[in-house]
Amino acid sequence: LPLAHEVFEGNVADTKTLGALLDRLAPADCADMKPVVVLDAGFASKANIELLKGRHYSYLINITRSNRSKYAEFFEQETFEELPGRKPALKVEVKKITDPDDKDSRLVLCRSAQRRLKEEAMISKAEARFLKDVDSLRKRIEKGQLKRPAIIERKIGNLQKKHPRVQRYYKLTHKPDTTEAATKNATTEKAPKKLEPTLEVTRDEAKVKGALALCGDYVLKTDKDLEATELWSLYMTLLKAESGFRMLKGTLGMRPNFHQLEHRVESHIFISVLGYHLLSWVRLPLEKAGDPREWKTVRRLLSTHSLVSTRLPLKDGRIVTVRKPSLPDAEQSRVYQLLGIHWKRACPAVKSELKGPTTL
């Protein structure tokens, strides 16, 4: 459930917002509470960790973004514990070790089969897009559309910048055509043949293999002395927060925000957050009853339950409108029951209005 929200200036980095939010949530002297703050990888800075320690918060942070290869040797070990009750396609293995760089902290090494497939697909698709652009650049060079070496090198740099995920696995080299036939034609009395520059592409197989080997692996850091499976389950609560952000930006319309004035921007965000508060209270009884469906699924289910209006014109000029809901199906009735809604009393049944002159 959302506890507080804050609107920051657009040029404030995410890592700089943690202190202000902690001020909103609890006093600094909460040593007896020791609440656990779960943070995304974007917040895993040393300054933020020290901030949490100084305010007596326990922390659980994903530090995978730039440190996965650092712990590759630990992932190669076979002493992982598999989480029980999960299907093979959703298999997750975890292992807790002491942080070699911080003896007061523990690391939870996680291996996820589902995440591995997702990351492999991401690399494969990114690589296909990269090679497509490389082929397009090569054709432009071979057709003579790009001739000057400085411009070609600039195009190569732009292409690498466009594909940061996979460009590090490839080496692009621009070379002029120095074949024997081209050299002979260039030295004859005939008109010299234009040299055709080429673009040489080399794939670093060792780097690609190493990157694929780490797919599905991620590292959590904490000062909480719990079992690896408990820490993993605690970190997974972050998925609910991420789901909330997706719903705020999508279903509830927080983005796009086209307002120019500050107070209008804040009002737009406030209405979206207010909608999310209401939505959270709708989902809460469903989750407590073991119904994990998302709001869009529940909304689609209930959208087929309609109100029926029957209009009856009388001789005295009145029109009587009988408005009643249709009969819900079994699943719709179950959702209404969980939400505490009496669907039969959802609207007034009869309404009358005057139509034209009437003698009373």
Side-chain angles (χ1 to χ4, degrees):
L1 295 176
L3 300 179
H5 81 279
E6 188 79 29
V7 181
F8 294 92
E9 297 290 338
N11 59 354
V12 177
D14 289 347
T15 54
K16 303 295 184 180
T17 62
L18 181 60
L21 292 177
L22 293 180
D23 291 338
R24 295 282 304 276
L25 293 175
D29 55 345
C30 54
D32 297 334
M33 287 177 54
K34 287 292 286 184
V36 180
V37 177
V38 184
L39 293 178
D40 194 281
F43 289 84
S45 65
K46 291 183 178 179
N48 279 342
I49 294 178
E50 293 300 322
L51 175 63
L52 291 172
K53 289 181 178 179
R55 299 199 182 192
H56 309 289
Y57 284 91
S58 291
Y59 60 87
L60 181 57
I61 301 176
N62 187 332
I63 60 171
T64 304
R65 180 167 295 178
S66 60
N67 293 283
R68 179 158 52 181
S69 58
K70 180 180 178 179
Y71 305 104
E73 60 177 303
F74 297 104
F75 279 107
E76 295 174 357
Q77 301 173 5
E78 299 298 330
T79 56
F80 279 78
E81 176 184 1
E82 183 176 347
L83 296 181
R86 300 180 67 86
K87 298 179 180 179
L90 304 176
K91 178 181 178 181
V92 176
E93 298 175 296
V94 294
K95 178 174 68 172
K96 187 173 72 171
I97 63 173
T98 301
D99 188 349
D101 300 324
D102 184 3
K103 299 302 180 181
D104 296 329
S105 301
R106 264 74 62 190
L107 300 178
V108 181
L109 310 181
C110 308
R111 295 195 301 207
S112 169
Q114 187 179 30
R115 184 165 177 167
R116 178 180 181 85
L117 293 176
K118 179 181 177 181
E119 291 183 355
E120 287 177 347
M122 290 172 62
I123 292 177
S124 178
K125 291 179 180 179
E127 189 173 22
R129 291 192 295 267
F130 173 75
L131 293 177
K132 181 179 179 180
D133 287 352
V134 169
D135 186 60
S136 176
L137 179 60
R138 182 194 290 113
K139 289 180 180 179
R140 293 181 64 189
I141 295 174
E142 292 175 351
K143 289 180 181 179
Q145 296 175 350
L146 296 175
K147 299 178 181 180
R148 296 175 59 184
I151 295 179
I152 294 175
E153 293 295 336
R154 189 183 309 141
K155 293 293 183 182
I156 292 175
N158 293 337
L159 191 150
Q160 293 173 327
K161 185 178 180 179
K162 181 181 176 182
H163 301 275
R165 184 187 297 275
V166 294
Q167 64 86 20
R168 57 177 178 257
Y169 307 134
Y170 286 85
K171 181 179 180 181
L172 303 181
T173 307
H174 166 235
K175 293 183 177 180
D177 188 352
T178 57
T179 60
E180 183 178 354
T183 304
K184 287 182 178 180
N185 288 335
T187 57
T188 60
E189 296 180 357
K190 300 179 181 180
K193 181 181 178 181
K194 292 182 179 180
L195 301 183
E196 297 183 354
T198 59
L199 185 64
E200 186 177 278
V201 184
T202 306
R203 190 174 191 253
D204 193 328
E205 298 295 340
K207 283 187 177 181
V208 174
K209 184 178 179 180
L212 293 176
L214 291 173
C215 285
D217 299 345
Y218 54 100
V219 184
L220 309 178
K221 181 174 180 177
T222 183
D223 63 346
K224 200 74 173 174
D225 192 14
L226 297 173
E227 295 296 327
T229 54
E230 294 177 294
L231 291 169
W232 181 87
S233 298
L234 182 60
Y235 181 74
M236 286 298 105
T237 59
L238 185 63
L239 296 180
K240 290 188 176 182
E242 293 175 346
S243 174
F245 282 124
R246 286 194 299 270
M247 192 164 295
L248 274 167
K249 296 174 183 178
T251 305
L252 298 176
M254 190 165 72
R255 286 187 178 180
N257 189 327
F258 298 112
H259 298 294
Q260 301 295 322
L261 300 180
E262 182 177 348
H263 71 278
R264 291 181 180 176
V265 173
E266 292 181 349
S267 299
H268 182 104
I269 294 174
F270 174 75
I271 291 173
S272 298
V273 174
L274 181 61
Y276 184 68
H277 276 270
L278 298 175
L279 184 57
S280 296
W281 284 105
V282 170
R283 297 173 62 188
L284 182 61
L286 298 179
E287 292 181 358
K288 287 185 176 180
D291 190 337
R293 286 178 293 189
E294 295 185 359
W295 165 245
K296 62 180 180 180
T297 306
V298 177
R299 184 179 60 184
R300 186 169 60 248
L301 169 67
L302 299 181
S303 65
T304 58
H305 184 216
S306 59
L307 289 170
V308 179
S309 298
T310 305
R311 296 171 62 86
L312 304 174
L314 304 182
K315 290 183 178 180
D316 61 0
R318 288 183 301 156
I319 295 181
V320 177
T321 302
V322 180
R323 186 171 174 81
K324 288 188 176 183
S326 60
L327 291 176
D329 59 29
E331 191 61 26
Q332 291 171 339
S333 297
R334 176 180 173 274
V335 172
Y336 287 139
Q337 183 180 7
L338 293 177
L339 295 177
I341 295 175
H342 301 284
W343 61 271
K344 290 184 179 180
R345 301 195 300 241
C347 64
V350 179
K351 179 183 178 183
S352 64
E353 59 186 71
L354 295 177
K355 181 181 180 182
T358 303
T359 302
L360 300 178

